[in-house]
Amino acid sequence: MASIAIDGPAGAGKSTIAKLVAKKLDYIYVDTGAMYRAIAYELVRKNVDIEDEKALSDACSKMKIAIKYENGIQQVYMNGENVTPYLRNEETGDMASKSSAKAPVRAALLDIQRNMAVEYNVVMDGRDIGTNVLPNAETKIYLTASADERANRRYKELIEKGESADFDKIKADIIERDERDMNRDIAPLKQADDAVLIDSSNMSIEEVVSAILDNVK
Ligand code: DC
């Protein structure tokens, strides 16, 4: 099976791009961030103190996570419940960034992610795919953009949805999340030595997709 690993900071456009690349190649798109978000959602729901090691590992050991594809779109099930609709919000993303630094949380997902790449041709996006989850992926991409550009995209997205948005706060949150994801002890976000760097700050979605396709081995 073939694997394309796409890593990079929050808001770099990984999921939009990864979905399009997967569609072009008829691969499966695996969104690992959604898996970390599902755990975060459950930790918030169960009111677990993530700084309490025993409470956290007990909570993780009770989580049964399953990934399914419905009409080609990834769904994350937590203990039999499809939690996918509840994962894409700032609170869950923020908790995912914090809880994903913890060993029991990462251990709960590693085999699930590796097994998907054994079973299917995948485009997998996240923070540690090229460095840790799939070190032998045929194609590795590190997709980034300036913090200003990433904040700007997020700002526009919220305004288009009719929601209120504060550019400075969005930018500060993005920088804080990057710092946490890059500086944790276990599997921090970093460019794999053999990954191709793409800075999408001044690129269209189509340009990024074709740059990635040019690198597929
Ligand atoms: O990509 P995302 O915003 O959905 O990810 C949410 C958080 O999950 C991110 O801040 C860090 C964590 N994460 C991770 O640690 N490793 C991954 N492979 C994917 C996400």
Side-chain angles (χ1 to χ4, degrees):
M1 289 292 150
S3 305
I4 300 174
I6 304 182
D7 291 301
K14 295 185 300 295
S15 65
T16 306
I17 301 291
K19 264 183 217 155
L20 291 167
V21 171
K23 203 165 182 199
K24 279 256 182 223
L25 298 172
D26 201 20
Y27 284 17
I28 289 211
Y29 166 51
V30 183
D31 174 359
T32 63
M35 302 179 196
Y36 285 98
R37 285 169 183 263
I39 292 187
Y41 177 73
E42 185 70 3
L43 292 171
V44 170
R45 184 153 73 165
K46 293 273 156 66
N47 218 353
V48 178
D49 174 4
I50 63 166
E51 299 308 330
D52 178 338
E53 275 178 37
K54 184 168 180 322
L56 180 63
S57 67
D58 281 355
C60 288
S61 68
K62 289 193 189 108
M63 293 183 196
K64 280 229 168 338
I65 300 147
I67 308 301
K68 297 185 187 171
Y69 284 82
E70 289 166 15
N71 299 320
I73 298 168
Q74 175 180 298
Q75 307 292 321
V76 188
Y77 283 76
M78 174 62 71
N79 299 325
E81 180 193 356
N82 185 350
V83 293
T84 316
Y86 317 122
L87 306 179
R88 289 269 141 219
N89 56 68
E90 299 304 323
E91 190 202 4
T92 311
D94 189 57
M95 181 57 166
S97 174
K98 289 178 181 145
S99 54
S100 65
K102 308 287 182 191
V105 172
R106 302 207 76 79
L109 294 176
L110 190 58
D111 286 347
I112 297 177
Q113 294 167 359
R114 285 191 175 149
N115 287 339
M116 299 207 63
V118 172
E119 247 182 276
Y120 307 103
N121 290 320
V122 293
V123 180
M124 191 177 289
D125 81 354
R127 303 294 187 286
D128 63 333
I129 310 307
T131 52
N132 182 50
V133 179
L134 305 176
N136 298 321
E138 285 78 4
T139 307
K140 296 185 187 178
I141 305 291
Y142 190 83
L143 181 62
T144 189
S146 68
D148 262 311
E149 180 56 28
R150 289 183 284 133
N152 197 24
R153 289 176 191 166
R154 181 77 188 127
Y155 176 82
K156 281 192 192 148
E157 198 179 295
L158 288 170
I159 296 295
E160 271 162 27
K161 275 199 231 160
E163 291 178 27
S164 65
D166 172 345
F167 179 84
D168 292 335
K169 165 133 191 8
I170 293 171
K171 187 175 164 192
D173 285 350
I174 281 184
I175 291 171
E176 193 188 325
R177 185 117 83 88
D178 288 354
E179 268 179 12
R180 215 185 288 125
D181 294 349
M182 288 174 179
N183 293 310
R184 67 185 179 216
D185 292 335
I186 320 167
L189 166 65
K190 72 177 175 87
Q191 184 180 344
D193 293 338
D194 50 352
V196 173
L197 173 69
I198 298 179
D199 183 332
S200 73
S201 303
N202 296 306
M203 290 168 83
S204 67
I205 291 174
E206 294 73 25
E207 285 170 332
V208 178
V209 170
S210 91
I212 293 178
L213 292 173
D214 285 348
N215 279 286
V216 173
K217 293 175 185 127

